Amino acid sequence: MQILDGIKLAKEIKQEIKELVQNYKDQGVRVPHLGAILVGSNGASQTYVDNKIKDCHFVGIESSELRLPDTISQEDLIAEIEKWNNDETLDGFIVQLPLPKHIDQEAVINAIDPKKDVDGFHPMNFGKMALEMETFLPATPFGIMEMLERYNIDTTGKHTVVIGRSRIVGRPMSILMSKNGNPGNSTVTLAHSKTQNLEQFTKEADIVITALGVPGFLKADMIKDGAVIIDVGITRVDDETNPRGFKLAGDVDFDNVKEKASWITPVPGGVGPMTRAMLLKNTLLAYNNKK
């Protein structure tokens, strides 16, 4: 068993980006600029946005943050998005999810200029991804593909099972793993809550990518020896032995599954850091597209 170390890899990628940004500074041109809109006071969302700002500071990218109350109307939120769409100094921005229940998430995503949609959620960018055109890839799937590439995980001709069909992870992962290229060229099974006899598929899989949010769901007896296991799930689980009162758990029963897997991502420290690093790469793409 070998660890797919997202922390180490994300540091390498951020260092590469830092050097690129320093080149821009040396040339006397402006640096890339990333923005984040946060609605409400969701603790996990606040932490995520704060970490994005730290990443920007580390690599030298300019960052902006707009915090709005959870009582804001959908109309007023979209008006703020339009301001950022029209801001020529801003290369890309995200609207942090989830949003308050009274706001239509689809309407908000559709309001973002596709050229600035560094989260890769806009239908235009999703469609380009499906057509294998250059575009912004959703950050988590982008991070997984980067991880597979940099760790030289062969995916060609392999059977990949993706568990979960969200537009943020599962569905784009199924598209990317079947694209023409390496990583890619896999035969993909997309499993979800209505899939029957899931173990039948996971036991035959060379690669399992799980994004369910169910702690410890994937057990050792559900995979074959030598499988590559990518755990996207991250859930807070009560833990009285932890000073914080909780621990972070993935979808995979890590301690047992690692004994059978050839490669495996830990939680935390696997996919999460890669997601943030890929947001920076998407910002660079937006910046260069504008240039």
Side-chain angles (χ1 to χ4, degrees), residues 90-234:
L90 191 66
D91 297 296
F93 66 94
I94 66 158
V95 177
Q96 184 64 37
L97 304 178
L99 292 168
K101 292 182 179 179
H102 68 278
I103 294 177
D104 182 352
Q105 177 177 298
E106 298 304 316
V108 168
I109 290 172
N110 286 331
I112 298 171
D113 183 346
K115 297 184 184 70
K116 294 188 176 186
D117 169 41
V118 289
D119 255 340
F121 294 159
H122 192 282
M124 182 178 292
N125 290 323
F126 200 98
K128 285 184 175 181
M129 174 189 65
L131 294 171
E132 299 187 25
M133 300 169 65
E134 182 180 69
T135 191
F136 304 115
L137 301 181
T140 297
F142 191 6
I144 293 170
M145 297 298 282
E146 191 84 4
M147 180 178 281
L148 292 171
E149 180 177 359
R150 294 195 182 219
Y151 274 99
N152 296 313
I153 306 296
D154 184 18
T155 63
T156 297
K158 306 298 183 181
H159 180 200
T160 297
V161 171
V162 179
I163 307 175
R165 56 181 169 182
S166 76
R167 65 182 297 170
I168 296 174
V169 181
R171 198 170 299 279
M173 265 327 311
S174 69
I175 293 170
L176 292 170
M177 289 299 288
S178 63
K179 73 179 180 66
N180 185 18
N182 191 36
N185 283 326
S186 280
T187 299
V188 180
T189 298
L190 179 59
H192 45 78
S193 59
K194 304 300 182 183
T195 300
Q196 298 183 11
N197 302 318
L198 178 61
E199 291 184 28
Q200 175 183 333
F201 299 105
T202 57
K203 285 179 178 178
E204 297 176 353
D206 302 299
I207 303 167
V208 179
I209 302 169
T210 175
L212 278 177
V214 179
F217 174 82
L218 190 72
K219 307 294 186 185
D221 61 4
M222 295 174 66
I223 68 165
K224 70 178 183 180
D225 289 334
V228 176
I229 307 298
I230 308 292
D231 190 351
V232 186
I234 184 163

Side-chain angles (χ1 to χ4, degrees), residues 27-91:
Q27 295 168 23
V29 299
R30 74 170 184 86
V31 299
H33 184 183
L34 171 66
I37 296 176
L38 178 61
V39 182
S41 56
N42 179 286
S45 293
Q46 286 184 348
T47 299
Y48 194 50
V49 169
D50 289 344
N51 285 332
K52 289 172 182 175
I53 292 171
K54 289 178 183 177
D55 290 340
C56 287
H57 179 74
F58 175 78
V59 302
I61 287 177
E62 184 180 352
S63 66
S64 293
E65 179 186 5
L66 178 61
R67 297 196 177 220
L68 301 169
D70 58 10
T71 54
I72 191 171
S73 69
Q74 179 173 306
E75 182 181 19
D76 287 344
L77 173 57
I78 290 177
E80 294 294 339
I81 290 171
E82 282 301 322
K83 291 179 185 177
W84 278 20
N85 283 340
N86 296 319
D87 185 344
E88 289 300 319
T89 70
L90 191 66
D91 297 296

Side-chain angles (χ1 to χ4, degrees), residues 118-119 135-137 139 142 278-286:
V118 289
D119 255 340
T135 191
F136 304 115
L137 301 181
F142 191 6
M278 294 305 102
L279 185 65
L280 299 176
K281 289 198 73 168
N282 274 343
T283 303
L284 277 180
L285 176 60

